[in-house]
Amino acid sequence: VTASVYGTITYCFTLDYFISKFLNKPITSLDGRTRTILRFGAWQILCSNKVPDYAAVNSSVELSKKYAKSSNGLINAVLHKICALSPDERDFGKYKPEIELSLKPEIFGIFKKDYGKERAISIGKALLQSSGTTIRYKSSISREDIITQLENDGVIVEDSEFMDNCLKITTGPKAINDCKAFKDGNIFVQGESAMLASIIANPSNNMRILDCCAAPGGKTTHLAELCGDNCMIDALDINESRVELIKENAKRLGIKSINAMKANASTFGSDNPQYDLVTADVPCSGLGLLAKKPDIRMQITYDRIQELLPIQEAILENAARNVLPGGSLIYSTCTINKAENENQVEKFLSKHDEFYAEDIRPLLPAKLDLNGREDLAKSGMITLFPDMDRCDGFFIARLRRRS
């Protein structure tokens, strides 16, 4: 069921293309239940190798009898026509990239503009494949010990792509939060690219740290662990329930140095900077997370991205205001859209002579292949890609305030 739901959402744009071939009106004019049953059936026919065509049609017709009686005939007719498509007609690779990759033209257009058509297709294909679930484990526990703890609960892991103190889950009969290692606070579920942001932040003991947009606390707790919990972290989120998530995770991990609070990252602080390190993981389009969060494919639009740009700029400006002279500022997103990434940083630096980009090459993990990104890393920035790095798409920049 989970595979069917995630699959249908992932391929929604492509499914709508095929369904629309056999409608005499726009698919958006159909009621929600009819549209959903058609998409669910079309995914089983076109994408699943475990459901026979006839079964996909029959189960969809049965759903329509219960939830969309007036559309019963339409659903039956459209799905039968999709079943009649030849193998060649069902091959998504025969269509334009937007259809093959199930990306709205405006989103594929962003990838194409930033990286060229060939690379955009490579990124799009990678975003159709899950990069898997990774866990961060405490440095006080050996790799062998944490693997043994997980195996005792039936969780099998393998090496991560590039991060230390990180493992990738391959199989496991239990939900990870049912495992003893999780309950004991020895692991945290987090993507490798998000872990890298804390490594690039490079916190040290006794630092006063501000983590903007901190929930659910992955980077916050990682920063604390890197300092041996010997620091003071103010962790902000604008949503009270998400602030509670930070507190819960800090408690589970046994971390004492985090002060989680409800606050607006674009206005928090004063004109007197207080922090040695400020991190800002800003709200973004999430285009680097399409493999894990396929609903973004349906929700994000070019206009929505344009609305996010001034929010990102406001948070970055305010985050900078809180950095002490000589202190560091980390700006990160979970997107690979240059307008939200490099362009925001370059715009900020053009207005703030008191900040400069800092070479991050010495901070990067040895196993991370820069693969042509040396100049970008030298200029204080790195973008991680699902096709190149086999992880979530992510952007990180490290800036320093002049002493």
Side-chain angles (χ1 to χ4, degrees), residues 238-299:
I238 200 167
N239 186 299
E240 186 66 53
S241 64
R242 289 176 62 77
V243 171
E244 291 304 312
L245 281 177
I246 303 172
K247 293 178 180 178
E248 288 170 15
N249 280 314
K251 182 179 180 181
R252 181 176 61 82
L253 296 170
I255 292 171
K256 311 293 186 185
S257 59
I258 295 171
N259 172 37
M261 67 182 88
K262 180 182 177 182
N264 189 328
S266 63
T267 57
F268 177 83
S270 67
D271 290 327
N272 297 314
Q274 302 289 323
Y275 298 95
D276 305 291
L277 170 65
V278 177
T279 67
D281 187 28
V282 299
C284 69
S285 60
L287 296 181
L289 301 179
L290 296 185
K292 285 184 178 173
K293 299 183 177 181
D295 51 297
I296 295 173
R297 294 174 184 267
M298 302 174 70
Q299 296 170 347

Side-chain angles (χ1 to χ4, degrees), residues 161-162 196 364-371 373 382 384 389:
E161 296 297 328
F162 54 84
L196 183 59
L364 298 176
K367 290 194 293 183
L368 180 64
D369 186 355
L370 283 177
N371 202 1
R373 291 171 288 184
I382 188 165
L384 298 168
D389 303 303

Side-chain angles (χ1 to χ4, degrees), residues 11-188:
Y11 282 96
C12 191
F13 181 76
T14 303
L15 299 174
D16 284 359
Y17 170 81
F18 280 92
I19 292 167
S20 296
K21 283 174 171 282
F22 307 112
L23 293 176
N24 56 13
K25 55 185 175 181
I27 191 169
T28 51
S29 68
L30 300 176
D31 68 277
R33 292 184 174 192
T34 299
R35 195 163 55 238
T36 298
I37 293 170
L38 276 171
R39 288 168 173 169
F40 203 65
W43 179 83
Q44 293 173 78
I45 295 165
L46 296 169
C47 304
S48 173
N49 57 8
K50 300 199 174 173
V51 182
D53 286 358
Y54 74 86
V57 176
N58 289 346
S59 62
S60 299
V61 169
E62 289 304 310
L63 281 173
S64 68
K65 289 177 181 177
K66 188 172 182 180
Y67 296 108
K69 289 182 180 178
S70 61
S71 302
N72 185 273
L74 172 72
I75 289 169
N76 186 45
V78 170
L79 293 182
H80 268 110
K81 289 176 181 177
I82 292 176
C83 288
L85 293 172
S86 68
D88 196 56
E89 291 173 312
R90 294 188 187 198
D91 182 359
F92 295 170
K94 301 288 185 182
Y95 299 85
K96 57 185 179 180
E98 293 91 329
I99 303 302
E100 179 186 9
L101 306 172
S102 195
L103 290 171
K104 296 175 184 175
E106 58 197 300
I107 302 305
F108 180 74
I110 289 172
F111 293 165
K112 183 179 176 181
K113 174 176 174 287
D114 285 346
Y115 305 106
K117 183 178 179 179
E118 184 177 339
R119 188 69 202 289
I121 292 173
S122 175
I123 292 169
K125 286 181 177 178
L127 286 169
L128 288 171
Q129 307 295 322
S130 172
S131 58
T133 300
T134 51
I135 54 168
R136 185 185 85 230
Y137 62 90
K138 288 183 175 179
S139 56
S140 58
I141 302 171
S142 72
R143 179 178 180 276
E144 291 71 24
D145 284 349
I146 202 68
I147 289 174
T148 299
Q149 288 182 33
L150 291 167
E151 286 180 346
N152 288 339
D153 276 322
V155 178
I156 308 302
V157 294
E158 63 183 16
D159 289 339
S160 60
E161 296 297 328
F162 54 84
M163 285 300 299
D164 296 327
N165 296 106
C166 175
L167 293 165
K168 183 180 290 187
I169 296 173
T170 56
T171 56
K174 282 191 173 186
I176 195 67
N177 56 352
D178 289 333
C179 295
K180 187 175 186 300
F182 184 92
K183 293 176 179 178
D184 289 349
N186 293 330
I187 61 172
F188 194 100

Side-chain angles (χ1 to χ4, degrees), residues 307-320:
E307 292 170 2
L308 286 166
L309 297 179
I311 297 172
Q312 295 164 354
E313 185 176 355
I315 292 174
L316 178 57
E317 288 282 343
N318 191 62

